[in-house]
Amino acid sequence: MSSKKLMNSVTGCADDALAGLVACNPDLQILQGHRVALRSDLESLKGRVALLSGGGSGHEPAHAGFIGKGMLTGVIAGAVFTSPAVGSILAAIRAVAQAGAAGTLLIVKNYTGDRLNFGLAREQARVEGIPVEMVVIGDDSAFTSLKKAGRRGLCGTVLIHKVAGALAEAGMGLDDIVRRVSAAAAAMGTLGASLSSCSVPGSKPTFQLPVDEMELGLGIHGEAGVRRLKMATADEVVKTMIDHMTDPSNESHVPVRSGSSVVLVVNNLGGLSFLELGIMADAAVRCLEARGVKIARALVGTFMSALEMAGLSLTLLLVDDALLKLIDAETTASAWPNVARAHVTGRTRSRAAPAEKPEGTEPTATGGAGSQRAAAILQRVCATLLGLEEHLNALDRAAGDGDCGTTHSRAARAIQEWLKEGPPPSHPDQLLSGLSRLLLEKMGGSSGALYGLFLTAAAQPLKATPGLPAWTAAMDAGLEAMQRYGKAAPGDRTMLDSLWAAGQELHALKTPGADLLQVLSKAVKSAEAAAEATKKMEAGAGRASYISSAKLEQPDPGAVAAAAMLRAILETLQSQSA
């Protein structure tokens, strides 16, 4: 079974993709009758060298995203993962020549089809008297012993587009540009790693990976890599990649060592989330700097993809001040990032946080029976939430994100660490205020904000009024704050349903002589019944409100968590009174 793709047709997808880029970019034009995109201001090139590149489609934004002043003049695109036609390459060469270009440089990735077709077009153009040169880029550092075909052209090719574009914009001649970019290409290496293959439109994935494995050293056309690795942490994967691509025994290594200055490219192969890409970029910077490598510039994003492949490549280009100046030169190419003209290594990456304003002059009371009771209750609540993590996540997947259990477990672990620092406050208002600050900082998500609001508001009635009735007032204050800011009401299928049901029972604490455990027991049963009843409710607030009620067949996870926490409080108090 072929993979799903958003397109009009398999045969027309490359044309449609290029047309979409040109339609949204007034600086580009399609060359009629060809899958060729050119700068719309070709006449401004008169007297300068034109730069043409290209290859198969499916590597977007490469190469057409790098057309612009200071980078490429034009791009010739083939079908997905297929070299472009000789006739289209020749048509592009003729177009820039007719516009007055002082020669044309073809920048070609090292693949057999690209070398043949661009090479043939070059020879035909030279027969017509058009000055054309060609550089073949091979930056792959995967193979420890070089193949006859040489190193594959990968994401480092984009850096060559940038260097050549800056030189051409400065008016350098064709032969000198060839010499300069050839030297830069020789000081560059790229290595890829992926969690999945990709699938050409209309076809199945090119290879299969077990869930516990990943591929190292793969290309950009869905071909398998040089070896498979067991899944590992981001730090471990990056270390393996950099070890491999800088190992002197590897014939395709890039000679990076302590003291070297490099441009780092962290390239998304298409399907990696930006979250993962940021994690891998951080790991790469730390790994290189730990080896004494100076990172002059770092580019992070999608530059040369392989359709939807969930992976990345790392590129290292050795640079001096002259080469760095070319990387920094201005360009209008839409896919080139806005990179700061400042060294990555050596700068301060953090700023001291402002000092917190003191909460007040009243000292926090700790120790004694109240503190011990609070610690026992909190430990029981934490254990309950940690035990429910997977169950709550499963319930939450009906609403889309599936992280309710993770969020509550994060809160539980934060509370456990807080308790390790010392006994909790013994005064109820100080305890709730302390928990509020902790959850607002550590829990995250809307749950963290709502519980923070609840506890902050609930703490206020406990400051002045002692005794059980104060807990009724505290519950009411907390519920009112949650409703005011969370915009939920009882019956909206949220955590409020459980807390509201319990709150109504807690009003019995205002009765003289009320039995705490009896009242709390009824409150817990009401909360659990309310949580179960959310199965039949239509969500009126929160993320679940965007989901059809027919799909929400399970109770609300927030309501389940709230009821479970109340149950943990009750059982702790019961055990202490036994």
Side-chain angles (χ1 to χ4, degrees):
M1 180 180 175
S2 61
S3 60
K4 294 188 288 186
K5 297 279 193 295
L6 287 171
M7 56 184 56
N8 297 313
S9 69
V10 170
T11 55
C13 63
D15 294 287
D16 290 348
L18 193 62
L21 177 68
V22 172
C24 297
N25 191 333
D27 294 332
L28 304 183
Q29 291 179 323
I30 292 283
L31 189 61
Q32 291 181 3
H34 300 278
R35 198 181 291 127
V36 174
L38 296 166
R39 286 174 57 175
S40 57
D41 62 344
L42 280 188
E43 288 68 27
S44 67
L45 295 172
K46 192 169 185 179
R48 290 190 177 91
V49 172
L51 306 175
L52 298 177
S53 188
S57 298
H59 305 302
E60 291 74 19
H63 294 273
F66 300 107
I67 299 174
K69 183 179 179 181
M71 287 194 80
L72 297 176
T73 309
V75 160
I76 309 94
V80 174
F81 294 172
T82 303
S83 299
V86 174
S88 291
I89 301 171
L90 185 58
I93 295 172
R94 288 169 176 160
V96 296
Q98 290 173 9
T104 300
L105 176 61
L106 306 178
I107 303 173
V108 181
K109 300 189 301 299
N110 187 29
Y111 294 99
T112 302
D114 288 352
R115 288 198 318 271
L116 289 173
N117 289 3
F118 276 89
L120 182 54
R122 175 199 178 210
E123 294 303 321
Q124 291 182 6
R126 293 179 72 165
V127 169
E128 297 177 13
I130 303 174
V132 182
E133 295 295 340
M134 185 169 89
V135 292
V136 179
I137 308 302
D139 55 313
D140 186 12
S141 292
F143 296 98
T144 55
S145 57
L146 291 178
K147 308 288 184 179
K148 182 178 180 180
R151 300 165 70 186
R152 296 173 293 192
L154 300 175
C155 185
T157 307
V158 174
L159 295 178
I160 299 304
H161 294 338
K162 186 65 180 64
V163 171
L167 294 171
E169 190 65 28
M172 184 173 283
L174 181 58
D175 292 340
D176 288 334
I177 294 177
V178 170
R179 176 178 55 81
R180 292 284 298 274
V181 299
S182 297
M188 179 172 64
T190 299
L191 187 68
S194 185
L195 309 178
S196 75
S197 61
C198 61
S199 55
V200 174
S203 302
K204 297 179 180 179
T206 52
F207 63 87
Q208 297 293 334
L209 270 173
V211 294
D212 63 339
E213 291 184 357
M214 61 186 303
E215 198 84 9
L216 180 71
L218 70 177
I220 54 173
H221 301 99
E223 65 270 41
V226 293
R227 64 185 170 109
R228 289 192 173 179
L229 307 173
K230 287 296 182 183
M231 284 296 297
T233 66
D235 286 351
E236 291 166 341
V237 172
V238 165
K239 180 181 183 302
T240 298
M241 294 176 74
I242 293 177
D243 283 346
H244 185 93
M245 62 194 300
T246 61
D247 184 354
S249 67
N250 174 0
E251 291 185 19
S252 61
H253 78 286
V254 54
V256 171
R257 56 185 61 88
S258 179
S260 296
S261 182
V262 301
V263 170
L264 165 68
V265 182
V266 183
N267 172 56
N268 191 344
L269 288 173
L272 208 64
S273 68
F274 281 96
L275 179 79
E276 294 164 285
L277 197 66
I279 293 168
M280 297 300 280
D282 175 63
V285 169
R286 286 188 286 104
C287 183
L288 289 167
E289 290 183 339
R291 301 173 186 220
V293 178
K294 300 172 184 176
I295 303 173
R297 302 288 185 270
L299 286 66
V300 182
T302 305
F303 305 103
M304 185 176 289
S305 65
L307 292 170
E308 80 280 22
M309 184 176 284
L312 80 156
S313 63
L314 299 178
T315 298
L316 298 175
L317 169 66
L318 287 161
V319 292
D320 55 16
D321 290 342
L323 190 53
L324 198 57
K325 186 177 180 181
L326 300 175
I327 295 292
D328 285 343
E330 293 286 344
T331 179
T332 61
S334 60
W336 184 259
N338 184 19
V339 182
R341 294 176 175 84
H343 284 258
V344 172
T345 298
R347 72 179 185 88
T348 302
R349 293 177 186 149
S350 63
R351 180 185 295 271
E356 291 189 15
K357 293 182 179 180
E359 291 289 320
T361 58
E362 183 181 353
T364 300
T366 60
S371 186
Q372 293 174 4
R373 184 183 302 112
I377 290 172
L378 291 175
Q379 291 288 10
R380 183 70 167 261
V381 168
C382 290
T384 298
L385 292 178
L386 290 171
L388 285 173
E389 179 174 4
E390 289 305 318
H391 177 59
L392 295 176
N393 280 342
L395 294 178
D396 198 32
R397 289 187 191 105
D401 56 356
D403 68 344
C404 181
T406 302
T407 301
H408 282 78
S409 290
R410 186 161 56 241
R413 292 186 179 93
I415 293 171
Q416 288 176 332
E417 291 300 314
W418 186 54
L419 292 174
K420 289 179 183 178
E421 296 173 3
S426 56
H427 287 180
D429 64 295
Q430 294 179 342
L431 175 65
L432 297 193
S433 295
L435 286 170
S436 172
R437 292 191 295 272
L438 183 69
L439 296 186
L440 287 171
E441 181 180 353
K442 301 291 187 180
M443 187 174 187
S446 57
S447 296
L450 287 169
Y451 276 119
L453 280 168
F454 176 86
L455 292 168
T456 298
Q460 304 314 306
L462 296 171
K463 287 183 176 180
T465 308
L468 294 181
W471 286 98
T472 301
M475 189 72 166
D476 288 346
L479 291 170
E480 194 276 331
M482 290 181 78
Q483 291 181 85
R484 187 190 318 138
Y485 294 103
K487 301 299 181 183
D492 279 346
R493 198 183 187 276
T494 69
M495 69 170 77
L496 182 68
D497 289 299
S498 293
L499 294 172
W500 178 268
Q504 302 317 295
E505 296 291 345
L506 290 182
H507 278 242
L509 291 176
K510 293 186 289 187
T511 304
D515 185 294
L516 172 62
L517 292 181
Q518 288 183 4
V519 172
L520 188 55
S521 180
K522 289 182 180 180
V524 170
K525 289 177 181 178
S526 292
E528 291 172 337
E532 182 66 17
T534 59
K535 286 201 297 188
K536 299 179 181 179
M537 293 179 186
E538 182 172 345
R543 190 177 285 112
S545 63
Y546 301 105
I547 308 297
S548 169
S549 58
K551 297 180 181 180
L552 300 173
E553 301 172 349
Q554 302 294 330
D556 178 72
V560 171
M565 286 188 279
L566 291 171
R567 169 65 65 181
I569 294 171
L570 171 64
E571 291 177 350
T572 306
L573 292 175
Q574 286 174 332
S575 65
Q576 290 177 345
S577 65

